[in-house]
Amino acid sequence: MEKEQIRQQVWDDLEESGTARFPYPPHDRIPNFAGADAAADRLTESDEWQAARTVKANPDAPQLPVRRAALRAGKTLYVAVPRLRDERCFVELDPEAVTDIDDATTVGGLADAGVAVGPDELPHVDLVVSGSVAVSEDGARIGKGEGYSDLEFGVLAEFDRVDARTTVATTVHERQVRGEALPHDEHDVPMDLVVTPERTVRPAGDGRRPSGIDWRALPEERIDEIPVLQRLQDEIR
């Protein structure tokens, strides 16, 4: 099946089964799910989490418990600015500077509590946590279709902030884990950890991941909208 067909199946299933949680409907977004807290707790039990000092996480609702856990554990947290629209396209949250973790980790509180930084200002990122619509047991991931999660990884790879040492994880509901192989493009970032409320899957894939931006997959209008892409393209030229 095509990616969009799989997305629709998962969104419909989460809604019809009563598994989806606010915001509703689950469609056209990284869907929130019952047990997101438990999945985050399971992630924090992993060796990769324990070893990480820096975490980059998506801003969506199901990963809110992950963002809060990172700051409570004293990890520096990075979240991308929506659509990478600013030159300094990441927000840094220093656990020692954040006074209200619950508020700072919400979509509305991130910008106020954090400091805007460019990708070249980040340290090495130890752990990337991505939201997913669907994921396979071999680590292939499908997002909501806009491509920003993979693009953010590509940008950080261009600046050597993520590499083979970086663990990439996702927290999802069991209903989002597919038994069959999923469509996979060259710029898609595979998962090293797939964590549900019930289990942790360590895909036995080949571990290959993008080493930078796949310029062929980017339309000119997207490059024109994102300052950091314009900067990188100018440097290439």
Side-chain angles (χ1 to χ4, degrees), residues 5 25 28 52 55 67 112-113 129 133 137 162-163 169 171-172 184 186 206 219 228 235-236:
Q5 291 177 285
D28 301 314
V55 177
R67 299 193 296 276
D112 291 336
V129 182
V133 174
E137 293 186 350
V162 294
D163 53 27
T171 55
V172 291
H184 186 78
E186 287 187 15
D206 57 21
V228 70
E235 291 175 358
I236 292 171

Side-chain angles (χ1 to χ4, degrees), residues 1 3-4 6-7 16 40-41 52 56 62 76 90 99 122-123 125 129 149 156-157 168 170 172 187 196 208-209:
M1 288 189 291
K3 288 183 178 181
E4 189 58 28
I6 295 168
R7 290 184 188 102
E16 293 165 7
D41 288 344
K56 183 258 179 190
T76 304
F90 293 90
T99 57
L122 271 68
V125 178
V129 182
S149 180
L156 291 175
V168 185
T170 188
V172 291
H187 57 268
T196 78
R208 287 186 296 177
R209 56 182 58 169

Side-chain angles (χ1 to χ4, degrees), residues 68 100-110 112-113:
R68 288 176 173 168
D100 185 341
I101 290 176
D102 285 350
D103 181 67
T105 46
T106 63
V107 172
L110 284 167
D112 291 336

Side-chain angles (χ1 to χ4, degrees), residues 3-106:
K3 288 183 178 181
E4 189 58 28
Q5 291 177 285
I6 295 168
R7 290 184 188 102
Q8 291 299 328
Q9 282 189 357
V10 171
W11 285 326
D12 289 346
D13 178 60
L14 292 176
E15 183 173 48
E16 293 165 7
S17 66
T19 305
R21 292 294 182 267
F22 181 85
Y24 299 106
H27 300 71
D28 301 314
R29 69 176 81 245
I30 298 297
N32 199 8
F33 58 90
D37 287 339
D41 288 344
R42 185 175 291 275
L43 175 63
T44 66
E45 296 169 359
S46 68
D47 291 341
E48 292 85 350
W49 174 276
Q50 296 293 331
R53 298 178 62 186
T54 53
V55 177
K56 183 258 179 190
N58 59 302
D60 301 280
Q63 282 70 51
L64 176 61
V66 173
R67 299 193 296 276
R68 288 176 173 168
L71 290 180
R72 287 173 180 147
K75 304 179 191 296
T76 304
L77 177 65
Y78 295 92
V79 182
V81 172
R83 300 181 178 274
L84 299 173
R85 64 189 175 215
D86 299 330
E87 180 72 34
R88 291 185 166 182
C89 51
F90 293 90
V91 174
E92 177 186 87
L93 290 103
D94 179 346
E96 295 185 2
V98 173
T99 57
D100 185 341
I101 290 176
D102 285 350
D103 181 67
T105 46
T106 63

Side-chain angles (χ1 to χ4, degrees), residues 187-234:
H187 57 268
D188 291 339
V189 181
M191 301 294 105
D192 299 309
L193 294 176
V194 176
V195 185
T196 78
E198 290 80 24
R199 59 177 174 149
T200 299
V201 179
R202 296 177 180 275
D206 57 21
R208 287 186 296 177
R209 56 182 58 169
S211 58
I213 295 169
D214 183 359
W215 294 100
R216 299 166 300 176
L218 290 174
E220 283 298 323
E221 54 268 25
R222 175 158 294 189
I223 296 173
D224 292 341
E225 293 169 352
I226 299 177
V228 70
L229 295 185
Q230 297 172 32
R231 170 184 169 187
L232 286 168
Q233 194 174 67
D234 289 343

